[in-house]
């Protein structure tokens, strides 16, 4: 879908009429490289008009099965005017997921696609999911505690446009009970990963990871809470990069354009 916005801009000496074409998908790509939608050449009414009408924020669906704290972190980030994505839809496969109430409280559209109604017919279940995504004109999908396996066919449709967050430093501890397994393994550093979804579970190119220390006194609960806090920071950042069109897959790995590598060293336990 293309749409065109004409607006008036001005500077001290003349008035310009500029035509800006914004494409819904892929990312909005202004033809005039010097154009700044935040200022619209210093003409504030035009800037307001542009922000209100023409900027194409990616429409994101979040798929959940439970409490939805990552969903809330994404909703909070997207509430910022400058964030390049809007949360347009939350889908749960569980009618009683607490996250549904939280999404509704944030005035986000919600849908339920109850997997139990499809009697293990994954194709039909995914067909129903896809219908909802289409109906809400979704560009990007974020899995956030969504506890259903997705078929290669469905994943293929969303290739490069579907993210997942996993509570471990992948490729370590794929699957469930990551915190208990990390404690049992005696690792000193644990964390979380945001990655592209590929048919193989908890795999796919990594966009962002956060590491947290594992403490001697940790229980699965304390460790999970520390990791969850880190999840809430990296998921909004990763979605932002994807929505900005800055994520490229090179040789099966994510490259984030314009992203500066983190530096510094982390030692756990402390080395004095
Ligand atoms: C998170 O730990 C996430 O990494 C994992 O499932 C949990 C979902 O938590 N995939 P919430 O529903 O986002 O609070």
């Amino acid at each position: 879908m293309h749409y065109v916005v004409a607006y008036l801009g001005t500077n001290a000496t003349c008035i310009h009429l500029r035509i800006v074409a914004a494409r819904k998908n892929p990312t909005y790509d202004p033809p005039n490289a010097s154009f700044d939608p935040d200022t619209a050449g210093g003409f504030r009414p035009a800037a307001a008009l542009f922000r209100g009408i023409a900027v194409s924020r990616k429409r994101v669906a979040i798929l959940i099965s439970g409490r939805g704290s990552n969903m809330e972190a994404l909703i909070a980030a997207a509430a910022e005017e400058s964030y390049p994505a809007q949360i347009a839809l939350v889908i749960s496969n569980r009618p009683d997921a607490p996250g549904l109430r939280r999404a509704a409280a944030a005035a986000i559209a919600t849908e339920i696609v109850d997997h139990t109604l499809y009697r293990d017919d994954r194709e039909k279940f995914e067909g129903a999911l896809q219908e909802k995504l289409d109906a809400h004109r979704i560009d990007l999908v974020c899995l956030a505690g969504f506890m259903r396996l997705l078929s290669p066919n469905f994943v293929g449709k969303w290739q490069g446009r579907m993210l997942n967050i996993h509570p471990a430093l992948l490729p370590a501890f794929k699957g469930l009970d990551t915190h208990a397994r990390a404690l049992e393994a005696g690792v000193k550093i644990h964390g979380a990963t945001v990655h592209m979804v590929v048919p193989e579970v908890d795999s796919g190119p990594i966009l962002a990871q956060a590491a947290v220390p594992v403490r001697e006194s940790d229980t699965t609960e304390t460790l999970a809470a520390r990791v969850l806090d880190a999840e809430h920071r990296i998921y909004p950042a990763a979605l932002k990069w994807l929505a900005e069109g800055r994520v490229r897959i090179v040789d099966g790995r994510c490259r984030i354009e314009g992203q500066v590598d983190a530096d510094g060293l982390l030692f756990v336990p402390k080395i004095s």
Side-chain angles (χ1 to χ4, degrees):
M1 183 176 95
H2 287 69
Y3 56 99
V4 174
V5 174
Y7 73 91
L8 281 173
T10 184
N11 60 25
T13 54
C14 60
I15 293 176
H16 316 277
L17 174 66
R18 293 187 192 172
I19 307 290
V20 176
R23 280 179 303 163
K24 183 173 170 286
N25 190 2
T27 314
Y28 162 63
D29 180 18
N32 178 348
S34 65
F35 176 77
D36 176 358
D38 280 327
T39 60
F43 189 59
R44 285 173 168 274
L49 176 75
F50 190 90
R51 274 202 300 273
I53 300 172
V55 174
S56 172
R57 300 171 85 201
K58 296 290 182 192
R59 294 177 61 80
V60 175
I62 305 175
L63 273 53
I64 63 167
S65 299
R67 97 197 126 175
S69 71
N70 277 288
M71 172 205 76
E72 281 188 309
L74 294 172
I75 290 173
E80 292 294 323
E81 202 182 341
S82 60
Y83 197 78
Q86 58 178 306
I87 309 307
L89 177 64
V90 169
I91 304 180
S92 173
N93 66 306
R94 292 189 184 279
D96 57 350
L100 280 173
R101 284 195 306 278
R102 294 173 169 196
I108 309 288
T110 59
E111 298 276 8
I112 296 165
V113 182
D114 182 349
H115 66 279
T116 62
L117 304 180
Y118 296 88
R119 292 195 196 138
D120 291 332
D121 187 335
R122 194 145 43 138
E123 206 176 306
K124 278 200 180 139
F125 169 67
E126 292 177 349
L129 276 182
Q130 186 65 47
E131 258 178 40
K132 304 286 186 202
L133 297 171
D134 290 342
H136 289 263
R137 306 186 324 280
I138 296 303
D139 301 308
L140 304 173
V141 173
C142 289
L143 307 183
F146 184 66
M147 302 301 287
R148 301 304 295 171
L149 295 177
L150 295 168
S151 72
N153 181 39
F154 185 85
V155 170
K157 282 186 195 151
W158 289 93
Q159 189 182 355
R161 298 186 296 144
M162 182 155 60
L163 300 178
N164 181 44
I165 187 149
H166 182 73
L169 288 171
L170 291 173
F173 305 120
K174 295 181 180 185
L176 300 174
D177 302 322
T178 55
H179 308 309
R181 287 159 57 212
L183 286 177
E184 196 176 320
V187 296
K188 302 294 184 206
I189 296 172
H190 187 41
T193 304
V194 179
H195 64 95
M196 292 277 187
V197 178
V198 297
E200 195 191 332
V201 176
D202 297 332
S203 303
I206 291 169
L207 281 83
Q209 291 188 303
V212 302
V214 179
R215 300 200 174 119
E216 291 287 325
S217 58
D218 267 333
T219 61
T220 51
E221 288 76 22
T222 58
L223 184 55
R226 195 172 309 125
V227 171
L228 194 63
D229 189 53
E231 293 181 34
H232 297 164
R233 296 165 73 166
I234 57 172
Y235 213 173
L239 174 60
K240 178 172 181 285
W241 298 329
L242 185 64
E244 287 171 339
R246 288 166 59 194
V247 180
R248 300 274 171 273
I249 308 296
V250 182
D251 296 333
R253 290 183 292 247
C254 275
R255 294 277 173 269
I256 317 291
E257 281 176 5
Q259 187 59 28
V260 179
D261 287 340
D263 55 11
L265 295 173
L266 172 71
F267 295 105
V268 179
K270 240 171 146 176
I271 294 176
S272 50

